[in-house]
Amino acid sequence: MKDGKTCILIADDEKEIRDILQLLLTGEGYAVVTAENGREVLNLVSQEIDLYLLDVNMPELSGFMAGAEIRKQMDAPIIFLTAYSGESDKVMGFSVGADDYIVKPFSNMELLMRVKAILRRSARGTVPAQEEKKNHIPFGDLILDLESQSVLRQGEVIVLTYTEFKILELLVTHKKKIYSLENIYQSIWEEDAVGDSAIMVHIKNIRKKLGDDSRNPRYIKTAWGRGYYVDQ
């Protein structure tokens, strides 16, 4: 939050796009910070930024590289903007911790809807402190902390991105239920799936952070040809 408003950082090397997005988002009541390259983004990273809107192809430092550095410090949502719609680009974006991916050219309405959806889902993760006990869900030797949106192992905090956490929460709170890639996508993004790769990358990232062996996983199990589930 900045001055009581939700704050969005816009990064794009094209001034015209920055100006349009700034006008669009300030008109919706958001506070906006702008940057024209990836290095400038990293200088502006702070707890006050609620969402990062990053163009992929920027000078000095690409959006992907800036996003990866942001993710090391913050778990605020990241949306990538790109002119490329290839599957490999989307996989790259999600692998560095993106929460969404918007292909140029996009309509103002589409961007606003995606920004609002990401911020709305992020806000749902905030719960009163008095509910702490209810929001600690054990599974295996881990504890899912709904309040901090993190995973605990013997007091150690395992930090997940917002989207990674919501996927894990879905599986842990519905143990033994098998979710297909399409089911997971619809549950998290609240829209029809646009491809399998996004969820597969997120599952891979979650397993890596939990120290899980994808060939013989302890936590997120694979039901071949059907989907994923948690049984602990």
Side-chain angles (χ1 to χ4, degrees):
M1 291 285 182
K2 187 173 183 179
D3 299 327
K5 295 182 178 180
T6 297
C7 184
I8 299 174
L9 186 148
I10 300 168
D12 199 297
D13 58 323
E14 295 185 42
K15 185 178 184 301
E16 182 180 359
I17 292 179
R18 290 199 308 274
D19 290 346
I20 291 173
L21 293 180
Q22 182 171 16
L23 183 64
L24 178 68
L25 293 170
T26 53
E28 291 293 315
Y30 299 111
V32 172
V33 177
T34 63
E36 60 184 48
N37 60 61
R39 293 200 183 281
E40 192 174 335
V41 168
L42 297 186
N43 290 332
L44 294 169
V45 171
S46 78
Q47 294 284 357
E48 287 191 333
I49 307 297
D50 298 292
L51 184 147
Y52 294 85
L53 200 57
L54 308 179
D55 181 45
V56 169
N57 293 309
M58 293 187 291
E60 301 287 334
L61 202 66
S62 73
F64 286 153
M65 294 178 71
E69 290 301 314
I70 291 169
R71 192 51 77 223
K72 292 176 183 178
Q73 306 174 51
M74 305 289 175
D75 23 358
I78 297 173
I79 299 177
F80 283 120
L81 306 176
T82 181
Y84 303 104
S85 59
E87 197 76 0
S88 61
D89 292 300
K90 293 182 179 180
V91 170
M92 175 65 77
F94 287 120
S95 69
V96 299
D99 292 276
D100 207 347
Y101 197 100
I102 304 178
V103 178
K104 299 177 180 178
F106 49 81
S107 69
N108 291 347
M109 184 59 67
E110 178 189 4
L111 183 133
L112 283 177
M113 287 178 64
R114 287 180 178 266
V115 165
K116 289 178 179 179
I118 287 287
L119 291 171
R120 183 173 64 248
R121 293 198 301 268
S122 182
R124 287 179 189 164
T126 305
V127 295
Q130 62 266 30
E131 296 294 316
E132 182 177 358
K133 289 184 179 179
K134 295 181 181 178
N135 292 309
H136 279 190
I137 303 175
F139 68 110
D141 61 341
L142 306 174
I143 294 176
L144 191 71
D145 187 338
L146 301 184
E147 183 177 6
S148 64
Q149 295 197 350
S150 61
V151 176
L152 306 175
R153 178 190 283 126
Q154 298 179 348
E156 175 192 359
V157 178
I158 301 172
V159 180
L160 305 180
T161 68
Y162 172 76
T163 301
E164 290 165 1
F165 181 84
K166 298 309 287 184
I167 291 172
L168 187 59
E169 180 186 4
L170 176 70
L171 297 176
V172 170
T173 54
H174 298 84
K175 291 178 181 177
K176 300 186 184 299
K177 179 176 180 178
I178 297 173
Y179 280 88
S180 69
L181 296 171
E182 292 79 8
N183 292 156
I184 296 173
Y185 196 101
Q186 289 169 350
S187 297
I188 304 303
W189 276 273
E190 299 179 352
E191 59 185 37
D192 292 337
V194 294
D196 295 346
S197 61
I199 298 301
M200 294 174 70
V201 170
H202 285 308
I203 294 290
K204 179 181 178 181
N205 288 344
I206 296 168
R207 282 173 167 168
K208 182 178 179 180
K209 291 181 179 181
L210 298 184
D212 215 355
D213 182 356
S214 59
R215 291 170 296 183
N216 186 28
R218 290 180 58 196
Y219 305 113
I220 300 179
K221 304 294 184 68
T222 301
W224 294 107
R226 299 173 63 192
Y228 299 98
Y229 66 99
V230 165
D231 64 358
Q232 302 185 54

